Amino acid sequence: MSRRRLELVPTAEDLTQLRDRFAVPGRTAVVMTMGALHEGHATLVRAARERVGDAGFVIVTVFVNPLQFGAGEDLDRYPRTLEADLKIAEQSGADAVFAPSADEVYPGGRPQVRVSAGPMGERLEGAARPGHFDGVLTIVGKMFHLTHPDLALFGQKDAQQLALVRRMVRDLNFGVDIVAVPTVREPDGLALSSRNRYLSPAERRTALALSRALFAGHDRHAAQEALRARALEVPSTHARAEALSAIGESRAAADAHAVAKAVPGAAAAVRAAARTVLDEAARYDPPLELDYVALVDPADFTEIDDDFTGEAVLAVAARVGTTRLIDNLPLTFGTLGAAS
């Protein structure tokens, strides 16, 4: 099938007519954005195209949602780059860019009835930005109704948003498959974000501490998993101590029996490894101002304990200059290995 030409549509009615005109035989995928597209968004669009194939229909939404911005946040200066966005969307495989006006999305002004993110939406990002996730879920729900997708793709970088969207879809029976796409990083490790353009060269160097902190936590977790695996392979306390010493864990080897019973990748040690990097970055010029570093259960974004097993998210948020950045890495506890 030959590729369709990208179409820019401003209303939901135009979008429906476009899809009818194409007589789309396959599934519809949506990638929701606030514009200022970059390679991270392009990766989502390419993943959407791969999921639905040539017979499917891929929609990119571009809408700077005022409900997501609190007092003093950057709604007015949030970048609007529609012409560049259209090029990226087309090159990445989109069929349509749905770029509605505020009146199209909220015809009666800011809605009085909104989706509540509940307790999970009040933690971490929700605590730092009260009401933010209510705004996110309200616009996601609206866009589901306006675009009628079979599946929607979201980046893992916004892990709490992803978890809340999944919960909303499940709790409110939206009937949309939610697909997570891994975080896209620049060569130096910085997670791609539309807000990166606000960083001066010096601020960007400081901002690299976010990803370094996450990978320090990841490395500590992997080392503890390897330590436990090695410890459990040998039966006697003496042999276990020698085995642990051989992999450079002399302190742990002093109490090999305790190590053998320890939970792999203990949460406190992972948090501490990440925090060490972030504390150092607080002394940089310009400094990194830490908001939080957390190791949480993605089911509800509560902090995990040292006896936790399963999927977890190591998340960090900080401000560099006037720019607030977030990042995270998934980890797996209790399976003798870390998720990448």
Side-chain angles (χ1 to χ4, degrees):
M1 176 182 289
S2 62
R3 282 297 313 281
R4 310 178 187 96
R5 183 184 178 201
L6 180 79
E7 302 259 359
L8 172 63
V9 291
T11 72
E13 182 179 356
D14 292 334
L15 185 61
T16 298
Q17 292 176 355
L18 177 64
R19 193 156 34 191
D20 290 344
R21 190 170 82 239
F22 284 157
V24 177
R27 296 188 299 164
T28 295
V30 65
V31 174
M32 299 184 193
T33 83
M34 293 205 299
L37 302 190
H38 50 62
E39 180 58 26
H41 299 108
T43 299
L44 291 172
V45 178
R46 288 193 294 267
R49 172 56 64 198
E50 183 178 352
R51 287 269 179 163
V52 302
D54 288 341
F57 194 71
V58 176
I59 303 167
V60 174
T61 72
V62 174
F63 180 68
V64 181
N65 178 31
L67 301 188
Q68 293 176 221
F69 292 82
E73 293 191 329
D74 53 0
L75 173 61
D76 291 337
R77 73 172 186 140
Y78 196 87
R80 274 81 166 173
T81 59
L82 184 58
E83 288 302 316
D85 294 345
L86 294 174
K87 292 179 182 178
I88 292 175
E90 184 169 33
Q91 292 167 357
S92 304
D95 295 301
V97 169
F98 177 44
S101 67
D103 288 340
E104 171 73 12
V105 178
Y106 302 124
R110 292 198 174 210
Q112 296 186 39
V113 177
R114 308 182 187 190
V115 178
S116 171
M120 183 162 57
E122 298 171 356
R123 300 175 184 129
L124 299 185
E125 284 302 290
R129 307 173 67 187
H132 169 71
F133 285 122
D134 291 356
V136 169
L137 295 185
T138 298
I139 190 59
V140 169
K142 291 271 289 187
M143 287 297 182
F144 283 159
H145 291 312
L146 294 171
T147 62
H148 304 287
D150 299 295
L151 62 155
L153 291 88
F154 293 87
Q156 178 64 40
K157 175 179 168 291
D158 295 300
Q160 193 171 2
Q161 171 182 285
L162 171 63
L164 281 162
V165 169
R166 281 177 163 159
R167 188 61 184 251
M168 179 182 74
V169 166
R170 182 169 66 249
D171 287 355
L172 302 184
N173 301 98
F174 270 92
V176 178
D177 291 334
I178 304 302
V179 179
V181 177
T183 300
V184 179
R185 299 184 180 278
E186 299 193 35
D188 58 10
L190 187 67
L192 283 176
S193 170
S194 299
R195 288 188 168 91
N196 290 353
R197 68 185 67 196
Y198 300 148
L199 298 169
S200 70
E203 289 170 343
R204 196 182 184 288
R205 287 192 292 272
T206 294
L208 294 176
L210 273 73
S211 57
R212 286 203 304 269
L214 295 176
F215 287 114
H218 177 279
D219 290 347
R220 182 58 191 166
H221 170 265
Q224 290 185 199
E225 292 279 347
L227 175 62
R228 174 177 166 82
R230 188 70 176 271
L232 294 175
E233 287 175 359
V234 288
S236 70
T237 300
H238 178 70
R240 184 177 294 118
E242 291 180 346
L244 293 169
S245 295
I247 60 174
E249 293 284 350
S250 57
R251 183 177 65 179
D255 189 356
H257 181 70
V259 170
K261 291 186 175 296
V263 175
V270 173
R271 290 189 191 93
R275 186 65 186 248
T276 296
V277 176
L278 297 166
D279 286 346
E280 180 182 357
R283 297 188 289 272
Y284 290 173
D285 183 18
L288 181 142
E289 300 176 23
L290 182 63
D291 188 344
Y292 62 76
V293 57
L295 187 55
V296 299
D297 181 345
D300 58 10
F301 267 69
T302 57
E303 292 278 357
I304 66 170
D305 297 322
D306 277 351
D307 60 353
F308 179 87
T309 59
E311 299 297 317
V313 174
L314 179 61
V316 62
R319 190 174 297 275
V320 182
T322 60
T323 304
R324 188 173 183 277
L325 300 170
I326 63 172
D327 201 353
N328 70 84
L329 275 181
L331 300 174
T332 303
F333 286 76
T335 60
L336 304 180
S340 59

